[in-house]
Every structure is written in C-alpha cells, then in structure tokens.
C-alpha cells in the first residue's frame, strides 16, 4: 500500500496582501536602523522627523543668486519630496493595518491590480536587484509608483 502525501493548498495572495507587503518592504528599506524592540512606525516617524528637520534647515538658506543657495534649494526640495513620500507611505501602512478592511481595499485597488501584480513580481525577485546593485533605485521607483495609489485613501 502506497501512502500519498497531500500537498498543502497554496494560499493565493490577493491585492491587499501584495500591497501590504510592498508598503512594509518600503518602510523596512527606508528605516535600515529599525530595531526589533521598536514598532516600525516608531522608526519611520523618526526618519520622517529627520526629513522635516532637514527640510526646515535648508529652507532658510535658499538663495538663487549663489551656488550654495541653489544647493540649499535642491536639498530642500529633495528633503520635502522624501518627507511627503514617507508620510504617504506611513499613512498607507496605517490604513492597510486594518485586516477588517481587506475586501474594501481589494475593491479599491481593482483598477490597479495589474500594476500591483507587476510591482509585486519585481519585488519577489529582489535578489536580482541586490546582485546588480539596483536595490536603491528599485525602491525609489517602487515608492514613486505606490505613493499615488496610497494617496487615494485620504
């Protein structure tokens, strides 16, 4: 008599699972100094505060007539962009943390399903990004693509 092992059914990931994992991965990448004894939101808000401080600092030295003033303007704009992106991602993480809203979010993202699937497939092959030293560029592009999807919550 032969025994057959039953394979455990594979859980298919829905859009909610995929976007939640992507948002969490972005937060983990943004906060490499995250400690296990802190919640990810603590580390992310600390990083957010550092972007806000940099933004406020460089804003004071904005002067288009000098090179250092133009540098300050560019630094201000970069800090402002990073602040806004991280703020949106944090808010999206907070919204997505409510498991009871799974059906609502799956319905909400139904028109972006293909885009989310493509992002998740690329994320699943993240070892290739590390080998090619494209990890930072990948996460920057991922933030740029996922941020507009998360702004629809508010």
């Amino acid at each position: 008599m032969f025994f057959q092992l039953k394979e455990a059914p594979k859980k298919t990931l829905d859009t909610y699972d995929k976007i939640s994992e992507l948002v969490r991965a972005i937060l983990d990448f943004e906060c490499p100094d995250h400690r296990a004894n802190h919640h990810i939101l603590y580390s992310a808000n600390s990083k957010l505060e550092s972007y806000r401080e940099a933004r406020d600092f460089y804003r004071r030295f904005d002067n288009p007539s000098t090179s250092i003033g133009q540098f300050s303007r560019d630094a201000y704009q970069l800090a402002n962009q990073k602040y806004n992106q991280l703020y949106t991602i944090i808010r999206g993480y907070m919204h997505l943390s409510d498991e009871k809203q799974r059906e609502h979010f799956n319905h909400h993202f139904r028109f972006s399903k293909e885009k989310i699937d493509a992002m998740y497939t690329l994320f699943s092959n993240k070892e290739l990004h590390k080998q090619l030293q494209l990890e930072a560029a990948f996460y920057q592009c991922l933030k740029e693509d996922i941020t507009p999807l998360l702004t629809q919550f508010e």
Side-chain angles (χ1 to χ4, degrees):
M1 183 167 187
F2 294 102
F3 294 101
Q4 294 180 351
L5 296 176
K6 292 183 180 178
E7 292 183 20
K10 292 184 179 179
K11 181 184 176 193
T12 57
L13 298 175
D14 60 355
T15 306
Y16 173 83
D17 290 328
K18 291 177 183 179
I19 196 138
S20 295
E21 190 173 342
L22 290 172
V23 168
R24 175 60 193 236
I26 290 171
L27 287 177
D28 286 337
F29 183 78
E30 279 291 315
C31 305
D33 54 344
H34 172 65
R35 295 190 192 131
N37 59 341
H38 291 143
H39 194 278
I40 188 67
L41 289 178
Y42 174 80
S43 300
N45 280 318
S46 297
K47 184 81 164 195
L48 188 70
E49 183 64 19
S50 68
Y51 285 147
R52 188 192 62 74
E53 288 172 358
R55 181 186 69 183
D56 294 345
F57 176 78
Y58 285 114
R59 179 71 177 134
R60 293 181 297 174
F61 300 103
D62 183 4
N63 184 355
S65 65
T66 63
S67 294
I68 201 72
Q70 292 173 359
F71 166 80
S72 295
R73 173 178 285 171
D74 293 341
Y76 165 78
Q77 289 173 345
L78 180 63
N80 194 36
Q81 176 191 12
K82 288 186 173 285
Y83 176 88
N84 291 333
Q85 277 183 338
L86 186 57
Y87 178 80
T88 303
I89 290 167
I90 289 170
R91 297 289 298 167
Y93 178 81
M94 290 169 53
H95 285 290
L96 290 167
S97 66
D98 187 8
E99 185 77 24
K100 296 173 191 166
Q101 298 287 329
R102 176 183 290 273
E103 288 184 34
H104 168 73
F105 289 124
N106 281 331
H107 178 74
H108 179 77
F109 290 123
R110 71 187 180 280
F111 294 119
S112 305
K113 186 176 181 341
E114 292 82 19
K115 187 176 185 179
I116 293 169
D117 288 343
M119 287 188 281
Y120 188 78
T121 302
L122 283 169
F123 171 73
S124 298
N125 296 312
K126 59 186 167 203
E127 293 304 317
L128 291 173
H129 308 309
K130 289 180 182 178
Q131 289 175 356
L132 298 174
Q133 299 175 347
L134 297 172
E135 191 173 24
F138 169 74
Y139 278 102
Q140 180 60 36
C141 293
L142 186 61
K143 284 190 299 188
E144 290 173 7
D145 284 346
I146 213 163
T147 302
L149 296 175
L150 298 176
T151 57
Q152 300 170 7
F153 291 149
E154 305 285 329

